[in-house]
Amino acid sequence: TKNAAAFNVGKNATLVVTATQDNGAILNIDNSGSPSEIYGQMVANDLAGFTPTLYVANTNGIIVGPDANIAVPRGIGLIGASMTGATAINDFVRNNSTLGSFINVTTGQSKVEVNGSITGDLLNAAPVFNQPATFVLLAGGDVVNTGNVFGSFVEVFAGMRAAPTKATVNL
């Protein structure tokens, strides 16, 4: 979904995302010109019978606020880069000559900042830390995590086009 109106989740809001098919993945591209701000709860669940994998892409950055809780059992990708081009979108949906999908991040890399929590589940609106997300991908020119990221597989790509001594990854 290309979203010119922004992709934000307010402090008191809860966004519940579902899928209509098995192994569904949702890519939300924020084209607003401002960073995506997630301050409330974002939950992927199986209300429609299937739990999706979530991706948020914004060339102007993504901020997960200190009180934000993201529950994504199948995984999440927060991508501080442009995914608006036809090539990037076609590659994401496997509309290419390869056997699988991949993320083509070629332009615009900005900050991804996680101050809240990312886990596989919530209980009474609080993260459950013994239930990790299948994977967590944090990608951008600068990735900062002062929150709690709990996944079975965590990938951090910071400074993807960084000059020597400009990129720091501290896990």
Side-chain angles (χ1 to χ4, degrees), residues 22 27 29 32 35 50 52 77 101 108 141:
D22 195 21
L27 169 62
I29 301 170
S32 67
F50 304 103
S101 297

Side-chain angles (χ1 to χ4, degrees), residues 22-168:
D22 195 21
N23 296 319
I26 296 169
L27 169 62
N28 190 304
I29 301 170
D30 184 336
N31 284 338
S32 67
S34 299
S36 295
E37 298 177 342
I38 302 168
Y39 287 99
Q41 292 187 10
M42 193 162 67
V43 180
N45 70 21
D46 63 355
L47 291 177
F50 304 103
T51 304
T53 303
L54 300 180
Y55 293 86
V56 176
N58 187 335
T59 193
N60 293 294
I62 300 168
I63 300 167
V64 178
D67 296 322
N69 291 311
I70 299 175
V72 284
R74 299 286 305 261
I76 190 167
L78 300 178
I79 305 164
S82 175
M83 293 279 294
T84 58
T87 300
I89 294 169
N90 285 338
D91 288 345
F92 180 82
V93 297
R94 194 196 281 187
N95 186 14
N96 54 43
S97 61
T98 68
L99 295 177
S101 297
F102 60 94
I103 297 173
N104 183 348
V105 177
T106 57
T107 60
Q109 298 170 7
S110 59
K111 189 173 197 171
V112 173
E113 183 175 340
V114 179
N115 301 301
S117 69
I118 300 174
T119 67
D121 202 2
L122 295 177
L123 179 62
N124 298 323
V128 178
F129 290 107
N130 62 351
Q131 293 186 10
T134 302
F135 76 92
V136 177
L137 167 66
L138 305 175
D142 185 12
V143 177
V144 176
N145 174 32
T146 59
N148 295 301
V149 176
F150 192 52
S152 297
F153 185 73
V154 177
E155 284 279 348
V156 177
F157 293 100
M160 295 175 283
R161 280 194 232 151
T165 73
K166 296 290 182 183
T168 302

